[in-house]
Amino acid sequence: MPMGRRVYPVSSNSQHNQQPDSNRVLTQLLVLLYCKCLWRGLKFVIRKVTGRCELQWICYNNKPGARRTLKIESSLKCSKHELLQSAISVHPDSVEKTIDDIMSLKKINLDTNPQLGISLQACLLQIVGYRNLVVEVEKLRREPYDCENPAHEEMLVKLWKELRPDSPLSGRISKQWCEIGFQGNDPKTDFRGMGLLGLHNLLYFAEHDKATALQVLHDSLQPKHRNVPKEEASKMSEAEWDKKKFDKAIGYSFAIVGINITDLAYSLLVSGALKTHLYNVAPEMPSLVHFQQTFCYLMQEFHRFWIEEDPCDIMEFNRVRTKFHKRILKQLKNPDMALCPHFTASDLHLVNL
């Protein structure tokens, strides 16, 4: 052994600590396998006794909407049959045939269970529709704003006209863009994070719920009064009073916050948290319009939440946004919940079922 080199023995405590960890993992694995086998055995027994499969129990014991569709989705994902596992990713045009194949596999008589096929089809359309919506939204998010694309430019100018109908735009590159909440003379740089998705959402809000969009924009630019105690006010000079009397504004840039709320809606969609809402409001396939209506709701609710929180300045934006995000997530954990908007954009009635 070379001189100066020490060999440190492995402590007995370390060996003892590793052993319980291994035992814990093994125990958890055995419990998981036991529960899985027990559940499959229970399903087999109930099927033999009642003559109904798991999909039938779910449809007969849960009302239409998220409560039913989420359980159907989970059942298909966890099935040992390849046909059932692949059902959640079929093309919408193949849904009807897939339902027929499932009914045949489960040996369910359509003549005696006519409603079951209709219920399963509605659930599967919601499931594949949600997956397709994620793809569509992701495609828009990844498409950058291109000032050389006439369609992109037309949408941007249209946004200005909707929000500033009485103020002609002096030019494509202009400080006027700051009036609707962009950061600089050229809005294209603000769309980098969310791509065309941010522009699509802002324009939808301005077009389909114009009164609310204009009100939110107006409020975001208004100064707000501070309650200054009389004793403190009496000691101030006129200049100090004017400075203390008002905040700079309610405190945020409309367009930038709209892009940020687009990011929030996108994260809810991709994480699956928005399934509760969309499965409750879309009778069949959730579409981009449903997503945009959800954005309108989130935009208005965030505006109210921001005012309620009464932040000192825009530096508190991330704190308020995080708190708002947690509140929405909490609402969406209720399978009977649909985000209930207070706006007129939706042709469908989004309600708390």
Side-chain angles (χ1 to χ4, degrees), residues 150-167:
H152 295 188
E153 289 285 285
E154 184 181 349
M155 288 176 65
L156 183 59
V157 173
K158 194 171 185 179
L159 176 65
W160 173 266
K161 290 179 179 178
E162 292 291 340
L163 295 175
R164 280 285 185 261
D166 300 324
S167 301

Side-chain angles (χ1 to χ4, degrees), residues 9-255:
V10 178
S11 70
S12 57
N13 287 339
S14 176
Q15 292 175 332
H16 286 309
N17 287 338
Q18 291 175 4
Q19 190 67 27
D21 288 341
S22 301
N23 290 339
R24 191 180 301 111
V25 171
L26 181 60
T27 302
Q28 290 174 346
L29 181 61
L30 290 174
V31 169
L32 180 63
L33 290 173
Y34 174 77
C35 291
K36 192 171 183 180
C37 293
L38 181 64
W39 173 240
R40 286 187 174 176
L42 182 62
K43 288 198 297 183
F44 176 79
V45 172
I46 295 177
R47 176 67 189 265
K48 290 297 181 182
V49 173
T50 65
R52 292 181 179 179
C53 68
E54 184 181 11
L55 297 177
Q56 287 174 293
W57 309 338
I58 295 171
C59 286
Y60 293 147
N61 295 314
N62 296 276
K63 63 183 180 180
R67 190 175 289 274
R68 175 189 289 176
T69 303
L70 287 170
K71 290 181 179 179
I72 290 291
E73 187 173 13
S74 176
S75 177
L76 294 174
K77 279 182 179 178
C78 297
S79 175
K80 62 182 180 180
H81 293 287
E82 185 178 347
L83 170 65
L84 300 183
Q85 290 178 358
S86 62
I88 60 174
S89 57
V90 298
H91 190 277
D93 294 340
S94 302
V95 166
E96 190 171 349
K97 181 182 182 304
T98 301
I99 295 300
D100 290 339
D101 292 341
I102 291 173
M103 301 286 274
S104 176
L105 175 68
K106 294 294 184 179
K107 299 178 182 179
I108 300 171
N109 190 330
L110 275 172
D111 295 331
T112 57
N113 298 274
Q115 188 58 42
L116 179 63
I118 296 172
S119 298
L120 285 176
Q121 183 169 327
C123 290
L124 198 54
L125 282 171
Q126 287 186 320
I127 294 166
V128 300
Y130 191 96
R131 292 170 67 93
N132 289 346
L133 176 59
V134 172
V135 173
E136 184 178 5
V137 166
E138 181 63 26
K139 183 179 178 181
L140 284 174
R141 189 189 72 85
R142 288 178 176 272
E143 184 175 356
Y145 183 90
D146 182 5
C147 58
E148 300 297 325
N149 188 319
H152 295 188
E153 289 285 285
E154 184 181 349
M155 288 176 65
L156 183 59
V157 173
K158 194 171 185 179
L159 176 65
W160 173 266
K161 290 179 179 178
E162 292 291 340
L163 295 175
R164 280 285 185 261
D166 300 324
S167 301
L169 191 62
S170 62
R172 169 61 181 77
I173 307 298
S174 170
K175 291 183 178 179
Q176 286 177 283
W177 290 111
C178 296
E179 295 177 21
I180 61 173
F182 287 103
Q183 290 180 323
N185 297 345
D186 190 352
K188 73 174 185 179
T189 57
D190 293 325
F191 291 119
R192 287 174 183 167
M194 283 287 109
L196 275 190
L197 184 63
L199 179 56
H200 271 275
N201 278 354
L202 284 169
L203 183 57
Y204 185 92
F205 189 28
E207 284 185 317
H208 292 82
D209 194 22
K210 190 169 186 175
T212 304
L214 290 174
Q215 186 63 56
V216 172
L217 173 61
H218 176 268
D219 290 349
S220 71
L221 298 171
Q222 296 307 303
K224 65 177 182 180
H225 291 271
R226 277 181 170 174
N227 294 320
V228 182
K230 291 182 179 180
E231 298 80 8
E232 185 180 345
S234 63
K235 299 176 183 177
M236 294 180 185
S237 66
E238 186 175 348
E240 288 175 329
W241 165 253
D242 288 338
K243 185 177 180 181
K244 192 78 174 178
K245 182 181 175 183
F246 295 102
D247 280 329
K248 186 176 179 181
I250 281 181
Y252 62 77
S253 300
F254 176 86

Side-chain angles (χ1 to χ4, degrees), residues 326-344:
K326 288 179 179 178
R327 188 172 103 170
I328 296 298
L329 283 173
K330 184 177 179 180
Q331 292 176 353
L332 291 172
K333 286 181 180 178
N334 177 2
D336 295 325
M337 172 61 71
L339 299 175
C340 184
H342 307 288
F343 61 93
T344 58

Side-chain angles (χ1 to χ4, degrees), residues 252 299-309 342:
Y252 62 77
M299 192 69 178
Q300 183 174 350
E301 286 301 299
F302 178 80
H303 178 64
R304 292 177 178 176
F305 189 74
W306 177 266
I307 295 173
E308 289 171 8
E309 287 293 300
H342 307 288

